[in-house]
Amino acid sequence: MKILCHEELKLLAEILPKTGQSYSETVWMLSIVRGTLREEFHGFAYEFLVDAWPDFKVVVARSCGVWTEEMAIYENSYIIYYIADCLQEAEHFLAEKGVIKWEYRAVMIKFKAIPAELYSTVCELAKAHHVSFESDTHVLVRLLVLDPGKVPDMPPPDDFKLEALRPEQHSMITSRWQYASFAPATYLKFLIENFPSSALISSTGEYVAHEVTTLGSMPTALYVCPEHRGKGYAKCVIVDLSKKLLRQGKIPFVFIVRDNNVSINLHLRCGFDLVKGQEFVFVRFQ
């Protein structure tokens, strides 16, 4: 096991896109690497562990440092990437002492979108370390990555405007977010303050649709008021936020629950591609 220094991390950012069969396969880890190098995460950080250097097969991003209250959702969290056909190497690396801090029981252990093939391995390791699995928190998702050449032109409808969200609106946004119970009350406020967002606002000032960005370049918390659904407003917000991220030199990507075909098809119409063979699991242990 090796923890990369800053100079090695810069080299990882160059090497990583070349290790997948496509850029899309590395986009999750690469966005975290680049965000760390750019110091975009505003006081919290990841350290990057590899099984070998520079000829690595496995990369683990592990949260470290002091985490603010609003970003506690990421404390003691892990992101895992391994080169295709190196599943066995990934399994062995995760089992190495010190890679996963199983002994850190004060805070829930969170795996952010681990490759589905590693799910059973992680559960077995947790059991071996007497860490219980929260069975209601595992979510199988599919990865979609934006193709910049496919982004449609989507201006706001007449009598509507597109604007960034403001921090004082975080309570409203949080009340509408289906996963609010898994995050601190100020989590979305932090995202609005520090990352791009988009909102579609009516002539009466109603926020009919909105979306924010979380770590890296991942849009999240998309919402459209029930009475305004089916009118293309979600597409308007997705496209607007995607273009903001593209202007920052970032490629947006999203994780969508595997059987949510409505959301998958919506993002396909907005220029996203479904990355075949790439399924992930969000899972937590206590």
Side-chain angles (χ1 to χ4, degrees):
M1 179 184 73
K2 176 179 176 58
I3 299 177
L4 300 184
C5 69
H6 184 77
E7 291 303 314
E8 291 166 333
L9 191 58
K10 289 195 289 186
L11 183 56
L12 178 64
E14 297 177 10
I15 298 174
L16 201 57
K18 303 172 185 177
T19 63
Q21 297 179 13
S22 68
Y23 172 87
S24 298
E25 293 183 2
T26 65
V27 65
W28 180 213
M29 181 63 75
L30 188 60
S31 71
I32 298 300
V33 171
R34 289 175 172 171
T36 300
L37 288 170
R38 295 168 178 163
E39 298 182 349
E40 293 180 346
F41 299 156
H42 305 279
F44 56 89
Y46 280 94
E47 57 187 1
F48 296 84
L49 294 69
V50 294
D51 60 328
W53 185 256
D55 300 319
F56 64 87
K57 300 290 191 302
V58 190
V59 183
V60 173
R62 182 173 69 188
S63 62
C64 63
V66 178
W67 290 73
T68 57
E69 179 182 353
E70 59 266 23
M71 293 306 290
I73 189 174
Y74 288 97
E75 187 176 4
N76 205 20
S77 65
Y78 298 83
I79 299 167
I80 303 166
Y81 168 78
Y82 65 92
I83 296 174
D85 300 324
C86 293
L87 175 60
Q88 189 173 20
E89 289 87 342
E91 292 173 337
H92 290 163
F93 187 56
L94 293 182
E96 281 190 27
K97 184 178 180 180
V99 174
I100 307 299
K101 295 183 177 179
W102 297 107
E103 72 282 1
Y104 187 24
R105 305 294 182 84
V107 178
M108 189 172 294
I109 303 169
K110 315 168 193 77
F111 289 87
K112 302 291 184 179
I114 60 173
E117 297 86 354
L118 281 174
Y119 176 66
S120 60
T121 298
V122 169
C123 289
E124 289 171 6
L125 288 170
K127 184 177 180 180
H129 288 83
H130 308 289
V131 178
S132 61
F133 164 49
E134 291 208 340
S135 59
D136 63 338
T137 62
H138 70 285
V139 180
L140 185 62
V141 297
R142 305 184 75 178
L143 172 65
L144 291 90
V145 179
L146 187 72
D147 181 342
K150 293 183 178 180
V151 182
D153 184 28
M154 196 68 188
D158 292 342
D159 298 324
F160 285 80
K161 61 182 178 180
L162 285 164
E163 289 185 357
L165 290 163
R166 298 192 301 273
E168 59 267 26
Q169 296 159 335
H170 81 275
S171 295
M172 174 192 69
I173 306 304
T174 300
S175 69
R176 294 173 167 183
W177 186 34
Q178 67 180 114
Y179 297 115
S181 61
F182 292 103
T186 54
Y187 173 61
L188 292 183
K189 179 175 183 288
F190 180 87
L191 298 185
I192 293 169
E193 288 174 334
N194 294 288
F195 301 104
S197 63
S198 179
L200 184 65
I201 307 168
S202 71
S203 58
T204 61
E206 181 185 7
Y207 284 71
V208 300
H210 44 76
E211 190 173 35
V212 300
T213 310
T214 187
L215 301 192
S217 53
M218 183 167 61
T220 189
L222 175 66
Y223 181 85
V224 180
C225 293
E227 63 272 23
H228 291 289
R229 292 173 186 172
K231 302 177 182 179
Y233 295 167
K235 185 177 180 181
C236 192
V237 168
I238 292 170
V239 168
D240 181 60
L241 183 53
S242 295
K243 288 181 176 180
K244 289 180 179 179
L245 290 167
L246 288 174
R247 286 195 291 269
Q248 292 185 352
K250 301 175 181 177
I251 301 296
F253 64 96
V254 293
F255 291 109
I256 299 177
V257 176
R258 183 174 60 174
D259 58 358
N260 190 347
N261 292 322
V262 172
S263 184
I264 290 173
N265 290 330
L266 168 63
H267 283 81
L268 292 176
R269 294 194 298 272
C270 293
F272 285 76
D273 289 329
L274 184 63
V275 184
K276 295 181 180 179
Q278 295 285 297
E279 292 191 342
F280 299 82
V281 180
F282 285 76
V283 63
R284 306 189 305 175
F285 297 90
Q286 183 68 66

